[in-house]
Amino acid sequence: MTNPVTSQTKPSAGRIQAVDLLRGAVMVLMAIDHVRVYSGMPAGSAEPALFFTRWVTHFCVPAFVFLAGTSAFLYGNKLDDKHKLARFLLTRGLLLVILELTFIRFCWTFNLNYGQFMLAGVIWMLGWCMVLMALFVRLRPVTIGIAGLVIMFGQQLFHFVPLLLPQGWWPHFGWFWEFIYPSDGNWLPGINILYVIVPWIGVMMAGYGFGTILLKQNEEGRKICLRLGIAAIVIFIVAAVLVNCFGPAYKGDKSFFLRILDQKKYPASQLYLLMTLGPLIVLVPFANRVKGRIADVFITFGRVPFFYYLMHIPLIHLLALGVNYIREQNVHQDWYGTAPYTEIVPEHRWGLPLLYLVFIIAEVILYLACRRFANYKAAHTENAQRARRKKLLAC
């Protein structure tokens, strides 16, 4: 947005640059992690280069879910109809769930062994969070945002819900609760739950409430973003240091600094969310003003996020098969039968230089495809708006 928007007005027809740019940036980081999956490089390592290759991708899911909530608020403010917004979130959420279980699952593995391996991944979680958001959008945005924070920081309470059930109910209810929050049960053989609903529904609700800040005047919104983001970063640093100094004795080989950054992602801990969302919120006012070719690339990705996601997994998978064939004259498709869970012996792993080379190639291809699709989408939207205007004038 180029013009200031007061807190009393609705957003303009244009998009808020910060949302598209930051969403596009974290999607690029996401591709690094997914190339790492197909390269066979492990997710956790005390080697700094490999550690930070994984660590920078921790910002992806928190930012994506948080900004999905913000986008839902902005779209609802544009519609000015809570019923339409709820219907949109419900239908879009169910579509995401179906795609996760069918097309996306196939793209990860290139096989149809759905009975042996299923994945409840990020798109699954995002879809169900949107379905749940459809129930809440009739509440005030501030109320939704506060409720989201309560869920995020009180998430461990969900672990004790099974204790509240009448005796004998848990064997019939446990399989369902595993999708909500881990309960240490093994109820679903063949189904791998990578992302549970809690605390991510709280992150989306907090992002929805954050949308009200984006409608404030530039200077006022900038100050709020900086205060919130810096406060989250400071709380994270202080809490993480205290936990590492006075918590259980550490038996690994990571340095103290790496242990500070090595926060629990499954499920996402409070420190993990503070570490990732704090910098994101700080960057919002700067992302609204940044210009240049790199910014344009991120904005292009951020304007067609779902198209990017659907494209990037099969593309990276195909590139991985090609790299394997060039290196070993064998595509080794058997390595990826349960992707993104892959176990490749060290002598067949790629190494970081090749990992980043494949990542760059993938991003170039994705940019060309996303730019073409974004232009088509914009032209299609403009034509639809012209048709509506002509219809109104005719009336």
Side-chain angles (χ1 to χ4, degrees):
M1 298 178 69
T2 56
N3 297 322
V5 179
T6 65
S7 57
Q8 289 78 25
T9 60
K10 295 185 182 302
S12 68
R15 302 171 68 101
I16 294 181
Q17 176 175 298
V19 175
D20 288 335
L21 190 149
L22 292 174
R23 182 164 51 198
V26 297
M27 289 167 65
V28 169
L29 295 178
M30 173 184 65
I32 296 176
D33 193 47
H34 292 166
V35 174
R36 180 199 59 77
V37 166
Y38 286 97
S39 74
M41 301 296 286
S45 173
E47 181 186 351
L50 186 54
F51 176 88
F52 283 103
T53 293
R54 168 65 170 172
W55 182 80
V56 296
T57 68
H58 283 334
F59 292 87
C60 302
V61 177
F64 205 58
V65 176
F66 186 82
L67 294 176
T70 303
S71 297
F73 169 82
L74 296 174
Y75 184 63
N77 202 64
K78 179 181 177 181
L79 289 176
D80 197 22
D81 187 323
K82 297 294 186 182
H83 178 72
K84 288 183 179 179
L85 175 61
R87 185 173 58 189
F88 168 79
L89 291 171
L90 176 63
T91 55
R92 178 60 63 90
L94 292 176
L95 174 63
L96 295 184
V97 170
I98 293 171
L99 285 172
E100 176 76 84
L101 298 179
T102 54
F103 178 75
I104 296 173
R105 153 62 177 76
F106 174 79
C107 291
W108 276 114
T109 63
F110 283 177
N111 67 53
L112 299 175
N113 299 327
Y114 289 87
Q116 298 178 12
F117 175 77
M118 286 294 294
L119 178 69
V122 63
I123 300 300
W124 159 280
M125 172 271 292
L126 192 65
W128 283 118
C129 286
M130 293 176 73
V131 170
L132 292 175
M133 279 295 300
L135 303 176
F136 301 132
V137 293
R138 291 175 178 82
L139 301 175
R140 295 176 56 207
V142 174
T143 302
I144 295 174
I146 293 174
L149 293 175
V150 171
I151 293 173
M152 289 164 57
F153 292 103
Q155 60 177 281
Q156 278 80 7
L157 295 176
F158 287 83
H159 181 77
F160 300 103
V161 168
L163 301 178
L164 304 177
L165 295 174
Q167 189 174 9
W169 279 33
W170 183 236
H172 307 289
F173 185 75
W175 67 270
F176 168 77
W177 199 252
E178 285 297 316
F179 291 108
I180 307 300
Y181 198 79
S183 57
D184 302 326
N186 186 22
W187 306 92
L188 301 165
I191 300 179
N192 292 266
I193 304 174
L194 193 59
Y195 290 96
V196 287
I197 303 302
V198 175
W200 296 111
I201 180 59
V203 176
M204 184 175 288
M205 294 169 73
Y208 188 91
F210 180 76
T212 60
I213 296 174
L214 294 185
L215 299 188
K216 295 183 179 296
Q217 293 184 0
N218 286 348
E219 187 60 25
E220 182 184 7
R222 186 186 71 85
K223 289 180 179 179
I224 295 174
C225 287
L226 291 177
R227 289 169 183 168
L228 286 176
I230 291 173
I233 294 171
V234 171
I235 293 172
F236 160 71
I237 293 173
V238 172
V241 169
L242 291 176
V243 167
N244 277 276
C245 288
F246 302 105
Y250 177 71
K251 299 180 181 179
D253 55 354
K254 293 186 177 70
S255 66
F256 182 79
F257 176 66
L258 294 187
R259 296 204 307 270
I260 295 294
L261 300 178
D262 190 22
Q263 299 301 325
K264 185 180 178 183
K265 182 179 181 180
Y266 305 107
S269 68
Q270 291 90 339
L271 288 178
Y272 177 90
L273 295 174
L274 287 169
M275 176 183 72
T276 52
L277 291 177
L280 174 77
I281 295 172
V282 167
L283 289 174
V284 166
F286 302 100
N288 266 330
R289 298 195 300 266
V290 68
K291 304 294 181 184
R293 291 191 175 183
I294 295 179
D296 291 340
V297 171
F298 291 152
I299 291 171
T300 298
F301 289 146
R303 288 189 173 183
V304 288
F306 195 46
F307 178 79
Y308 177 101
Y309 192 92
L310 292 178
M311 283 279 297
H312 91 287
I313 295 176
L315 173 62
I316 292 172
H317 194 160
L318 289 171
L319 289 174
L321 298 180
V323 168
N324 292 339
Y325 187 80
I326 293 172
R327 295 177 73 220
E328 306 188 19
Q329 290 73 54
N330 190 329
V331 297
H332 287 297
Q333 166 57 29
D334 55 300
W335 291 348
Y336 310 126
T338 57
Y341 300 99
T342 57
E343 293 185 9
I344 301 175
V345 294
E347 57 266 26
H348 291 292
R349 295 171 185 169
W350 294 1
L352 288 180
L354 181 55
L355 186 158
Y356 280 100
L357 174 61
V358 173
F359 159 72
I360 292 171
I361 293 172
E363 288 305 305
V364 171
I365 297 172
L366 287 167
Y367 173 71
L368 295 175
C370 288
R371 184 179 64 179
R372 188 180 184 88
F373 182 72
N375 291 337
Y376 167 79
K377 183 180 177 182
H380 181 74
T381 302
E382 185 177 350
N383 291 336
Q385 290 174 346
R386 287 177 181 172
R388 283 196 294 269
R389 285 195 294 266
K390 289 181 179 179
K391 186 176 180 180
L392 288 173
L393 289 174
C395 293

